[in-house]
Amino acid sequence: MPKISTFLDRIDSGSISLPVFQRGYVWSGKQVRELFTSLYKGYPVGSLLIWETAPSNTPTRGSIPATVAPLQLLLDGQQRMTSLYGVMRGHEPDFFDGNAAAFTDLMFHIENETFEFLQPVRMKDDPKWINVTNLFLKGTQGVEPLIDDLNTQGFNTSGYLGRLLTLLDISNRELHVEFVTGDDKTGEIVVDIFNQVNSGGTKLTLGDLALANICVRWSDAREEMQLRLAKWDEIGYNFELDWLLRVINTITTGEARFQHLHDMDPDTFKDGLQRSEKHIDKALNIISSRIGFDHDQVLFSKPAIAILAAFLDKNQGNISTEQQDKLLYWYVLTGMWGRYSSSAVTRLDEDLKAINETKHPGDTIDRLIETVRLGRGTLTLESQHFHGWGKGSRFYSLLYMITRMGQARDFHSGLQLKKHQLGKMSELELHHIFPKSQLYEAGYSKQEVNALANFCFLTREANASISNRLPSDYFLEIESRHPGALESQWIPSDPSLWEVDRYADFLEARKELLANATNEILNSLLTDHTDISSEIDASEIDERETISVPQATSASSRPASIKDDEEEAILVEINEWIKEQGLQPGIMGYELVHPIDGESLAMFDLAWPEGVQSELSEPVALLIDENIEILIVAGSYGYRFFTSTRDFMQYIIDEILTTSSVMSSVVSGVQDLITGGETETVEFKSTLRTNLHTGENDKRIENAVLKTIAGFLNTKGGTLLIGVADDGSSVGIQTDGFSSEDRMNLHLVNLVKSRMMAQTMTMIHIYFEDFQENRIMKVVCDPSHTPVYLKEDNEERFYVRMGASTDHLPPSQIPNYTKSRFEQ
């Protein structure tokens, strides 16, 4: 078994490298610290999996040419070996792709024998903190000076020598290695092996797996995609690798699901990337110049951009100005009514089908708009739609849009706030019309203070000049200096509404004005066909000035679901920690909307609506100091939610960063659950409401589902799979006849709420997943902390799981059971 030092030497020589399909370095400082703690204590740290192949057989990461045969490529162990190399060599390896800060300045306390990363203020007065990298670089020659220095300062260094030598001896630790060898081990086979046995790092997303297969065939795929993402980031749009992969997928395959990419040849993928870049450029240029979404904080409905790109691709970018505006009208509708807020992939496939099945661009757009209309019933905004609050609201972006598209004027200069009239010294800022301090002093709540109808956009100069003055103080001054400026910002003209004691009436009046203005501006997209070039020059995007509003760290723009600076600091810290783990940060101040009618349901402090890992994990929310109603809503819509940062971080460590089989993650455990059959914690139901013998809806079928849920809640928790027969075969949810997955979700939620306590929904999480060419419903139940009763006819029954069945306890047995189960 080779030593760690031998491995590091081989990395230096290029005889050990990474295959191009490996993801980048994603470990956090915590994981690096724990690795060195385990090595120092002599604990096992797992084995490595290496693919031995000829240097010419597969492309590798990095710039060092591979000349030594056989070339050894790390399949499992990249994170560990990169961490060891970074700490012991003092710099990242040649194949590195990630954040080197994760292994920079690791310190060892020579007395306590603990590892921590450098904290200058805390450590500056304690010379017993030793820089680990410096020690390894100097080797044994660096030990004696350290001991002498501590002796000079009067410390008892008994035992220190042994501890330093033990630390240095880590380089001599032998690692167990398993090899994948043989001429039959092609890149495709090795990717499959990699997917199944990778156990050392963060679980891979479906996008990671698809990209791994692409990289085997085209080694530069990841780098070329990242170059495009960097270009868009420079102009203010932050997109993720999975998002770009989705766009490429929709353009090349006409489908949204990533599995369609797995067998794609490199030429097709390269062509898809080029076409995607071209059409994304054009879509962003149109969105920015026409409706004003010129930076990431106001750009909503990012999944819809994949549809825009697919539409433009099918029509080779040659669409009329009228069609362009009509397509933008549809785009705004998708964001306004939250079309992709749930079941995003399913809805993308629906919209791609509309593109693929229609011949003429006008027919395609009409069908896309009609799909949104069918879900809504009406597309006209009313004043109550602006009842939301905070930057997380979808209608925050609409307010920015009508500011940019309408005749809104600045309160300081009187000039229109359109893009071409703005420069870097006149950036738009979010302005509270009634100042926050005055409203809080008057006793208004956080939601009332941060109501959308209390927002407008002004230049930084205007915002500063107004300060915390009340409208009754500064409105007359503005109107005198710039007549019409107040009306241009949809300010009610009645001066009595400008008084703080009429604030509620002011909001209602302004909501009416905002709704009317939005309807008028949206209708202009269908009737006002200003000449817009159908061609796009990427340089136009690169050279344009972007408009930015204050970042979330600014109190003036804090998402309104977050109550104060302290809570915001906690959430920012959590997001930073999440990024250190190589995961995507959550959305601060996220608005959950009703999947059918698009109405606002709740504001979450921090949320991952598509899961911390898109398509692999369930929707997640961090809800600090929220009331029970918010928790019920979160549970009702399938969110795994946490009310403490400690529990949330433990979830990430235990369930996202765990050592586990990647392939089991990809199928989200469904195949394993079904293979294991029905147990105390797993049950199958063919349908939610349909009697398979009669073909009719049957209350007895619904009751059987509710009994199982109640039994899981009252016992150890469990998973109910609906759409799976008793023998484990796939029935699918289509038998139940719901018009959409959202309708089926809502039906079950309403059943639970009507037959059990409403709080029960905080312990139930609902998902839809693929199984054997069908969609199934997965209902995950947490064990309840209190007894759960199911209403049946005119009585309440108490159900528990007994083996693979659900039974009700007779009243005489309930007290003893609840005492032993819930009171411990």
Side-chain angles (χ1 to χ4, degrees), residues 389-390 432 440 443-451 558-564 567 605 624-626:
W389 54 288
H432 284 71
Y440 282 128
Y444 288 98
S445 69
K446 176 175 65 175
Q447 290 91 332
E448 292 170 321
V449 170
N450 292 285
R558 178 189 304 123
S561 61
I562 301 167
K563 66 180 183 181
D564 53 31
E567 184 174 307
D605 293 332
I624 300 176
D625 294 333
E626 298 291 357

Side-chain angles (χ1 to χ4, degrees), residues 153-167:
Q153 297 182 59
F155 292 103
N156 179 4
T157 59
S158 176
Y160 287 5
L161 176 61
R163 293 169 190 173
L164 291 174
L165 293 177
T166 299
L167 179 55

